[in-house]
Amino acid sequence: MKWIKLLLIGWLTLVASLFLASLLGEISAQLFDASRDFQNFIKGLVMSGLVVPIVLYLYQHVYRMTGNKPSTPVYSWKRLYHFFTGVFLAIALASLGIIIAGYQGWLIIEDWHAPNQWYGPLLINITFAFFYEALPEELGLRGLLYDVLRYRFATWLSVLLQTLLFLLVTIAVALIQALVGLTPGVSINIGYIILIPCFGLCLQLLRLWTGSLWTSIGFHLAYLEIMRFAISPHQYGVSPIITYDGSMPELGALICVIMMVIGGIIVSLAILGAKRFIRKST
């Protein structure tokens, strides 16, 4: 039952690290009147500082359990080029969503803001999102937890269970935050409960067809920045890259999100299907 122990430790590491990161960020604000950027720095430092070394250590136990240590692990720097595969795919799908919404008149771009208005905050947020969200979550969920599940279950079941664990991480952290008097980092509603498993499925499939966690990390990071600086900048209090209007701007924004998440799933399934067909044909 070693796999259950590894699964539980990995999942608890993510939950505890997310909670501690948010707690220390809140403490820095209350005790030292820290700026939002400094709070984010603390959160990213704590999250990656805890998750990355613990997960890499647990991976050694996974390799001993499976009896197979790959020469180039899914998180290897040698697979780093796939980071740009994920980034470009997210941008392409979001752009397609904007085009579709614009063609329907739901979302009309009114202005592209000069880079000097947003590139500074964007670079800062990229650094924060990488160390607080994209890197540790992908390494822990789409990496370690999936590989532990895959040792015991078929691929399709491992993918589905990973998406459930992803959702449970966010719910558990929100509940702990509420219990100790902190404002939960996310609002748990029907839309969120639907989005998170779909997003987790998309990210896991990206790893499967490229064989690299860096694809998931790149896509995750690009998705976050597109959401914050292009689709819903006012919700996050950042300088927007674009300003848009239209007959139904909320629907247009939703189309962009659907295109990135569902589009990523469809593209991944299509590529996986094509690769399987080629393997059977040869």
Side-chain angles (χ1 to χ4, degrees), residues 5 23 31 147 169 200 209 223 226 228 231 235-236 271:
K5 181 180 177 181
L23 177 63
L31 295 184
D147 285 334
V169 165
W209 67 263
Y223 170 87
I226 290 168
R228 291 169 183 171
I231 296 178
Q235 179 180 341
Y236 295 97
I271 293 175

Side-chain angles (χ1 to χ4, degrees), residues 162-173:
Q162 174 276 134
T163 62
L164 177 61
L165 290 174
F166 184 27
L167 177 61
L168 291 177
V169 165
T170 59
I171 292 175
V173 173

Side-chain angles (χ1 to χ4, degrees), residues 59 63 68-82 147 207 210-214:
Y59 250 119
Y63 296 145
N68 178 34
K69 182 177 182 179
S71 57
T72 307
V74 291
Y75 51 80
S76 171
W77 290 107
K78 294 180 181 179
R79 301 178 186 268
L80 180 61
Y81 62 92
H82 276 302
D147 285 334
R207 177 212 151 160
T210 60
S212 172
L213 267 180
W214 289 104

